[in-house]
Amino acid sequence: MLTLTSASSALTLFPECKTQRRRFTISAAADDKFPSFLPKQMEEIKDPFARKLATRIERLPVNASFSEKSIMSSCVKPLIQSSQNPVVLLHGFDSSCLEWRYTFPLLEEAGLETWAIDILGWGFSNLERIKSCDVASKREHFYQLWKSYIKRPMTLVGPSLGAAVAVDFAVNNPEAVENLVLIDASVYAEGTGNLAKLPRAAAYAGVSILKSFPLRLYINFLAFKGVSFDTGLDWVNIGKLHCLYPWWEDATVSFMISGGYNVSRQIDQVKQKTLIIWGEDDQIISNKLAVRLHCELPNSIIRQIPDCGHLPHVEKPDSAARLILEFLQNYSCQKKAQLAPTEEVVY
C-alpha cells in the first residue's frame, strides 16, 4: 500500500493563499472495472494507483482535419470544476496518462480541476484509421480537444518530451495556455535526428526493439533512482500497455520519420510564466540543461528535487505536486494583487 501526502484546500482553491496537509491511501482492488478498450493485460497490473486511474480513462470524440472520422481520444477528465483555470497533464515520449497515477490524485485532492491527456500516437486513443502522427497532427489534435472540452486557458504540464509538446503548443496557441510547468524537459534534442532518415523497413525494426521488455526495463532503471526490482517490473508493464495496440507501430514510425520535436528555437518565444522542475539525479537529461532553460525562458523559476531521477511526478509525487501547487498559489496571489484596487491617498 502506498500513502501519499496531499496539499489540499478542499474545493476552494487558494482562498487565503495557504495550503493544508491531508493524507490518504489507495489500496488494490480485485474488482476494478476497467474500460473495455484498454488492453486485457491491464488486469495483470499490481500498482493500485495505476489501476485506480485506469478505471477513469475514457475516450472523447475529437475532430481533426487529417482524419475523416472523429478520433476517439483517451484522457482522464476532472471530477470537479474549479473557479481556477484547469491543470492539464501531458506525458513523456511513448507513454500514457497512467504516468500521472501518483501525482494526479494529489492535485485533484487539492481542489485543482485536473485533466490527464494522451498525446496523439501514444496512450489509449483509437488510432486505427490515423495515418499521420507527426508534430503538426499532434498539435492540431490537442488543440481541437482543448477547444471542444477544456475551453479555458490552462496550466499545461509537460514532463520529458511532453515539455517539448507543451512548448510547441504554447507558442502556437498562446490563447490556450496560461502557465507552463516543464519537468526534466527534453527541449534541446534535435527531433528524432538520423532516425528520420531510416528506410521505412528499418524504422519498423527499430520500433520493434523499442517495444522490447529488456530495453524498457533498462530505461526504467536508468530513469528512476532506488526503485526495487519488483516495482520496476510493474512500472515497465504499465509503461508498455499502449504498445499492445495494433496501430502502435504505425503511429510511432510516423512520428519517427517525420523528424519529431525540435523546439529549441521556440523557447525564447514562450511568454507564459513557467515553472521548471528537475530531478537532481536525472541520468537521462543533465540538470545543467535545467539551468540553461531557466536562463533562456524569459519568465521562469526553477526548482530541483533532491534524490530524484528523470520523472519526479512518478518517483517523488509529493514533491512534484507541492511545487506545482505552490507555483499556482503564488501566481493566483500575484493576479489578485494586480487586480486589487489601490487606495488613493489624499493630502
Side-chain angles (χ1 to χ4, degrees), residues 189-202:
E190 296 182 357
T192 55
N194 291 329
L195 295 177
K197 302 176 183 178
L198 287 176
R200 186 168 288 269

Side-chain angles (χ1 to χ4, degrees), residues 46-305:
K46 300 175 183 178
D47 189 311
F49 285 85
R51 295 178 65 90
K52 183 69 174 180
L53 192 61
T55 64
R56 290 180 54 186
I57 299 175
E58 54 186 290
R59 284 175 171 172
L60 304 175
V62 174
N63 295 318
S65 64
F66 55 87
S67 176
E68 295 180 358
K69 295 186 177 181
S70 296
I71 304 168
M72 298 307 295
S73 307
S74 51
C75 66
V76 179
K77 292 171 60 178
L79 291 177
I80 62 170
Q81 284 194 328
S82 169
S83 60
Q84 303 290 326
N85 284 336
V87 174
V88 177
L89 310 173
L90 303 175
H91 54 74
F93 172 73
D94 194 26
S95 185
S96 76
C97 58
L98 290 180
E99 194 175 294
W100 288 97
R101 56 194 176 272
Y102 303 134
T103 304
F104 187 101
L106 295 174
L107 298 176
E108 200 164 62
E109 281 286 314
L112 292 174
E113 183 178 334
T114 308
W115 292 73
I117 304 294
D118 279 338
I119 299 167
L120 183 76
W122 301 308
F124 304 106
S125 300
N126 187 336
L127 306 179
E128 188 173 8
R129 300 180 183 274
I130 304 302
K131 295 181 179 180
S132 176
C133 286
D134 59 11
V135 169
S137 299
K138 292 177 189 294
R139 184 194 309 128
E140 182 188 346
H141 172 263
F142 183 27
Y143 178 78
Q144 294 300 332
L145 188 151
W146 172 83
K147 184 179 179 181
S148 298
Y149 300 102
I150 301 173
K151 301 180 181 180
R152 289 181 289 155
M154 57 188 165
T155 295
L156 185 57
V157 185
S160 194
L161 186 70
V165 179
V167 167
D168 174 78
F169 189 85
V171 169
N172 285 280
N173 303 287
E175 74 282 4
V177 182
E178 183 175 33
N179 297 310
L180 284 172
V181 179
L182 307 179
I183 303 176
D184 290 70
S186 177
V187 291
Y188 291 111
E190 296 182 357
T192 55
N194 291 329
L195 295 177
K197 302 176 183 178
L198 287 176
R200 186 168 288 269
Y204 273 95
V207 164
S208 179
I209 295 173
L210 178 63
K211 186 169 61 174
S212 69
F213 191 89
L215 178 61
R216 286 183 173 261
L217 185 63
Y218 170 74
I219 294 173
N220 197 73
F221 283 101
L222 191 65
F224 302 110
K225 182 178 173 64
V227 174
S228 71
F229 186 76
D230 287 343
T231 298
L233 289 178
D234 201 41
W235 285 8
V236 169
N237 287 327
I238 294 169
K240 67 192 297 286
L241 280 169
H242 65 285
C243 302
L244 301 173
Y245 286 124
W247 50 76
W248 173 81
E249 286 189 354
D250 292 336
T252 305
V253 168
S254 172
F255 174 72
M256 181 188 299
I257 64 178
S258 74
Y261 283 91
N262 189 346
V263 301
S264 59
R265 295 182 181 179
Q266 293 178 292
I267 291 172
D268 62 0
Q269 300 175 44
V270 173
K271 306 303 180 186
Q272 294 86 350
K273 188 171 182 62
T274 303
L275 168 65
I276 301 167
I277 299 175
W278 219 276
E280 284 188 356
D281 297 317
D282 190 340
Q283 300 299 306
I284 294 178
I285 304 177
S286 169
N287 59 11
K288 293 180 180 179
L289 292 179
V291 178
R292 175 182 171 183
L293 183 59
H294 182 223
C295 293
E296 293 182 2
L297 272 175
N299 189 17
S300 66
I301 59 174
I302 184 172
R303 299 290 184 266
Q304 297 201 59
I305 299 178

Side-chain angles (χ1 to χ4, degrees), residues 7-77:
S8 175
S9 11
L11 298 183
T12 304
L13 192 62
F14 313 140
E16 299 177 356
C17 296
K18 297 179 181 179
T19 56
Q20 301 169 351
R21 305 296 287 176
R22 176 185 299 178
R23 293 182 70 84
F24 65 98
T25 59
I26 293 179
S27 300
D31 58 348
D32 287 325
K33 301 297 182 183
F34 301 120
S36 60
F37 58 79
L38 290 184
K40 65 181 185 300
Q41 288 83 350
M42 183 68 226
E43 297 284 356
E44 302 169 9
I45 298 301
K46 300 175 183 178
D47 189 311
F49 285 85
R51 295 178 65 90
K52 183 69 174 180
L53 192 61
T55 64
R56 290 180 54 186
I57 299 175
E58 54 186 290
R59 284 175 171 172
L60 304 175
V62 174
N63 295 318
S65 64
F66 55 87
S67 176
E68 295 180 358
K69 295 186 177 181
S70 296
I71 304 168
M72 298 307 295
S73 307
S74 51
C75 66
V76 179
K77 292 171 60 178

